[in-house]
Amino acid sequence: MVHFTAEEKAAITSLWGKVNVEDAGGEALGRLLVVYPWTQRFFDSFGNLSSTSAIMGNPKVKSHGKKVLTSFGDAIKNLDNLKGTFAKLSELHCDKLHVDPENFKLLGNVLVIILASHFGKEFTPDVQAVWQKLVAGVATALGHKYH
Amino acid sequence: MGARARSACLTGGPVPRRLFASYPQTKTYFPHFDLHPGSAHLRTHGAKVVAALGDAVKSIDNISGALAKLSELHAYVLRVDPVNFKLLSHCLLVTVASHFPADFTADAHTAWDKFLSIVSCILTEKYR
């Protein structure tokens, strides 16, 4: 069970407050599909994913990315109970979506890279370390109900 | 972007700091180093790693050849657990993204990720 200190929670929420969830979500999901093309296997219904520009401009990618990152925002409001927060989503990803939990780690790291590119110097090594802890916690929580 | 990356941001400082902050277990490979930010050990060692990556880029169609000696070093002397190459690669990407956001497009990100994963494979290919 991952535990965040008061300072870590403050670091997370203060950065998150400056994130445009819609833009960052689309970018994170888009980059996942571009950098790790095998992840496209989950998105057959999304239409044109044939090139980088097609993926990054795809409206379904943007809208789904926003959904995913909004749910990340819920995690941030419930840092003391990530497993509870993601219980239903965990069941969904296992039973209906059949997503290999390895993908949660990939997306988490893509998100960290995007935050680094948006925040530059502000995304210090210590800030990164807290976010690595968070994305690892979210990935674990999402995999928790797999059976 | 390669030359700028080498000179501006990869020389010793940010990458190991990020690695040791996010993945403290990686410090176990450096019990003989002063790991304080800016230490001479880190600067020298960081420069070595960056130079080796530069050699790999220059011989991008024969990375195996360019890194043959390093591959043996990692297999027989250093024996760094393979999982750590992913961690270091990730911290390299984070550093590049934070320094060159405009250049670090999705395609550049893909190319760097692919390059670093190939380098990692080559450095561990003689392990057994």
Side-chain angles (χ1 to χ4, degrees):
Chain A
M1 165 80 177
V2 67
H3 172 76
F4 295 93
T5 65
E7 291 78 15
E8 287 172 338
K9 288 180 185 177
I12 291 169
T13 49
S14 88
L15 202 85
W16 190 250
K18 301 180 222 174
V19 171
N20 179 319
V21 167
E22 179 165 7
D23 288 347
E27 206 183 332
L29 186 62
R31 286 218 179 204
L32 182 76
L33 299 174
V34 168
V35 180
Y36 309 109
W38 54 94
T39 58
Q40 292 170 27
R41 71 191 299 282
F42 301 110
F43 301 103
D44 280 339
S45 63
F46 272 30
N48 187 5
L49 298 179
S50 61
S51 68
T52 302
S53 52
I55 292 170
M56 300 309 285
N58 184 309
K60 283 187 173 174
V61 170
K62 288 185 183 187
S63 121
H64 194 69
K66 178 182 173 184
K67 205 181 195 181
V68 168
L69 220 59
T70 301
S71 158
F72 218 89
D74 292 339
I76 291 175
K77 291 187 206 124
N78 291 284
L79 290 171
D80 290 328
N81 183 22
L82 291 179
K83 290 203 169 115
T85 306
F86 283 107
K88 287 235 149 58
L89 275 175
S90 182
E91 285 170 8
L92 178 77
H93 281 76
C94 172
D95 298 331
K96 294 264 154 53
L97 304 177
H98 310 295
V99 175
D100 180 343
E102 188 59 32
N103 291 281
F104 308 142
K105 295 180 199 168
L106 287 180
L107 182 60
N109 278 338
V110 168
L111 179 62
V112 165
I113 285 171
I114 278 164
L115 293 175
S117 73
H118 285 191
F119 292 103
K121 279 203 172 89
E122 200 182 332
F123 200 68
T124 63
D126 287 339
V127 169
Q128 179 192 350
V130 175
W131 276 85
Q132 296 294 166
K133 196 171 158 179
L134 173 60
V135 301
V138 169
T140 304
L142 274 172
H144 187 65
K145 294 284 191 184
Y146 274 58
H147 58 97
Chain B
M1 188 170 87
R4 275 196 290 151
R6 282 201 300 281
S7 58
C9 75
L10 294 190
T11 44
V15 177
R17 273 212 300 280
R18 289 188 184 277
L19 184 69
F20 299 142
S22 284
Y23 311 108
Q25 69 273 20
T26 55
K27 292 190 281 190
T28 56
Y29 290 96
F30 302 98
H32 52 302
F33 268 25
D34 167 10
L35 294 182
H36 291 105
S39 83
H41 279 149
L42 286 184
R43 270 184 284 118
T44 312
H45 193 68
K48 267 191 203 168
V49 172
V50 165
L53 285 174
D55 290 341
V57 167
K58 276 186 229 138
S59 304
I60 204 153
D61 293 322
N62 181 23
I63 300 178
S64 236
L67 298 184
K69 286 224 158 63
L70 275 175
S71 181
E72 283 170 13
L73 182 73
H74 282 76
Y76 306 125
V77 181
L78 303 177
R79 292 170 292 183
V80 173
D81 191 290
V83 72
N84 295 286
F85 294 98
K86 277 195 184 169
L87 305 182
L88 179 60
S89 298
H90 175 64
C91 289
L92 262 154
L93 293 180
V94 170
T95 303
V96 172
S98 69
H99 278 78
F100 304 109
D103 293 328
F104 200 64
T105 61
D107 283 338
H109 182 169
T110 305
W112 273 78
D113 190 289
K114 183 175 172 181
F115 168 70
L116 291 172
S117 89
I118 288 169
V119 166
S120 303
C121 269
I122 286 167
L123 288 176
T124 55
E125 72 183 355
K126 299 185 174 151
Y127 272 34
R128 53 184 169 173

